[in-house]
Amino acid sequence: MHRIIIDTDPGQDDAVAILTALASPEDFDVLGICTVAGNVPLELTTHNALQLVELAKSDVKVYAGCSRPMVKDLVTAEYVHGPTGLDGANLPLPTRTAERQHAVDFMIETLHAAEPHSVTLCTLGPLTNVGMALVRAPEVVESIAGIVSMGGGFFEGGNVTPAAEFNIYVDPHAADVVFRSGVPVTLLPLDVTHQALASAERVEPFGGLGTTAGTCVAGMLTYFDRYDMDKYGTTGAPLHDPTVIAFLMQPELFAGKRCHVEIVREGPAEGMTMVDWWGVTGNEPNALVIHEVDADAFFALLLNRISRL
Ligand code: BDR
Ligand code: CA
């Protein structure tokens, strides 16, 4: 059983990750959902998280976090996710509001109260909230079991610049704090998510569930597919963020290697995750960098869990 905090900027792929986690009580005790500005501004990512909690009929609390990156101006991605961030589905309106406590305060308070190495941070968006928590209260590293993070890309290059993946590009300074914190990071980069394509054959079974959640997931993924299918010329968009949740549920579906990862903060390669895959620097590994996934088994796992909602 993983005790997790989900830090997220929903986003259709974040949505599938959140719903999967909320549908898997045997795997996860979800301590809270923290929102951050990323795919769309904070007000919308928070509203979207509340809609997903409503859809899952969950009582997990939502905490709004940082509205902009540590240093840079915010860059958003409505061109991928649509103006709301969750276009493609008719989600229920939230009946609850976000908590009054700031997400960074919630993280710090929760980690201060936790046993050593007992809480896993699942990050599905820019790393601003986690970076801020680590700067404000560096001692919280003691309570963190690990940070499992969707971000970066190495052999596959970037998706917003030739060098950078969106989540790291939006807040490279926060990512730098995370990778230099000493906390064990598991990185799910584009190299792995580009193997997990939401093709029509993989999306249709969600619609076939005949449930509101299944219909919403199929609608969101069909909307989300359109941009990346054009961009990459593939049969479906990479389903990025649920790899974080699936990795914690079934790590045997994934393969990777422990490497040293450095974040490029400035210059033309700003936001790049420089992975020392071949160990040429002699630097100690600070991350498990995932490189392969059994994509069919991954989609089967998601379908199985979403079918419960
Ligand atoms: C990441 O960026 C966002 O658009 C997705 O939600 C995912 O977290 C992929 O680069
Ligand atoms: Ca995301």
Side-chain angles (χ1 to χ4, degrees), residues 235-257:
T235 54
L239 190 54
H240 307 283
D241 294 336
T243 59
V244 167
I245 301 301
F247 173 80
L248 286 166
M249 289 194 289
Q250 294 193 4
E252 65 279 9
L253 301 185
F254 296 83
K257 186 169 167 179

Side-chain angles (χ1 to χ4, degrees), residues 2-223:
H2 300 281
R3 302 183 75 228
I4 64 172
I5 295 174
I6 301 177
D7 192 75
T8 178
D9 63 338
Q12 291 89 349
D13 59 326
D14 304 69
V16 178
I18 292 167
L19 293 173
T20 304
L22 294 177
S24 305
E26 71 273 53
D27 290 304
F28 299 112
D29 179 5
V30 184
L31 305 178
I33 296 177
C34 297
T35 59
V36 67
N39 287 323
V40 285
L42 180 71
E43 209 177 303
L44 281 171
T45 59
T46 305
H47 177 79
N48 292 348
L50 289 164
Q51 285 192 295
L52 295 163
V53 166
E54 192 76 32
L55 177 63
K57 298 187 173 59
S58 162
D59 56 8
V60 169
K61 292 178 175 158
V62 173
Y63 300 84
C66 296
S67 60
R68 49 154 283 196
M70 276 186 175
V71 178
K72 291 173 63 172
D73 288 337
L74 177 64
V75 176
T76 54
E78 286 87 354
Y79 56 95
V80 181
H81 301 272
T84 69
L86 286 185
D87 285 58
N90 216 349
L91 293 163
L93 282 176
T95 53
R96 287 179 17 215
T97 53
E99 302 305 300
R100 291 175 66 89
Q101 191 177 28
H102 191 281
V104 174
D105 293 328
F106 163 74
M107 264 183 208
I108 292 173
E109 188 181 293
T110 305
L111 292 168
H112 276 159
E115 298 291 314
H117 312 297
S118 63
V119 177
T120 299
L121 305 182
C122 298
T123 71
L124 315 178
L127 288 158
T128 317
N129 289 337
V130 178
M132 290 295 282
L134 291 171
V135 168
R136 273 186 48 198
E139 69 283 358
V140 297
V141 296
E142 292 307 321
S143 309
I144 304 177
I147 297 176
V148 185
S149 181
M150 191 281 131
F154 189 59
F155 295 103
E156 198 71 9
N159 61 359
V160 281
T161 75
E165 179 277 333
F166 180 79
N167 289 340
I168 307 291
Y169 179 77
V170 172
D171 199 340
H173 301 88
D176 177 61
V177 169
V178 168
F179 279 87
R180 290 197 291 119
S181 67
V183 174
V185 178
T186 300
L187 190 65
L188 283 302
L190 299 178
D191 305 289
V192 69
T193 67
H194 282 191
Q195 296 166 36
L197 300 180
S199 60
E201 306 86 77
R202 287 172 173 161
V203 171
E204 275 158 18
F206 289 93
L209 291 172
T211 59
T212 307
T215 306
C216 286
V217 167
M220 285 191 287
L221 293 186
T222 304
Y223 182 91

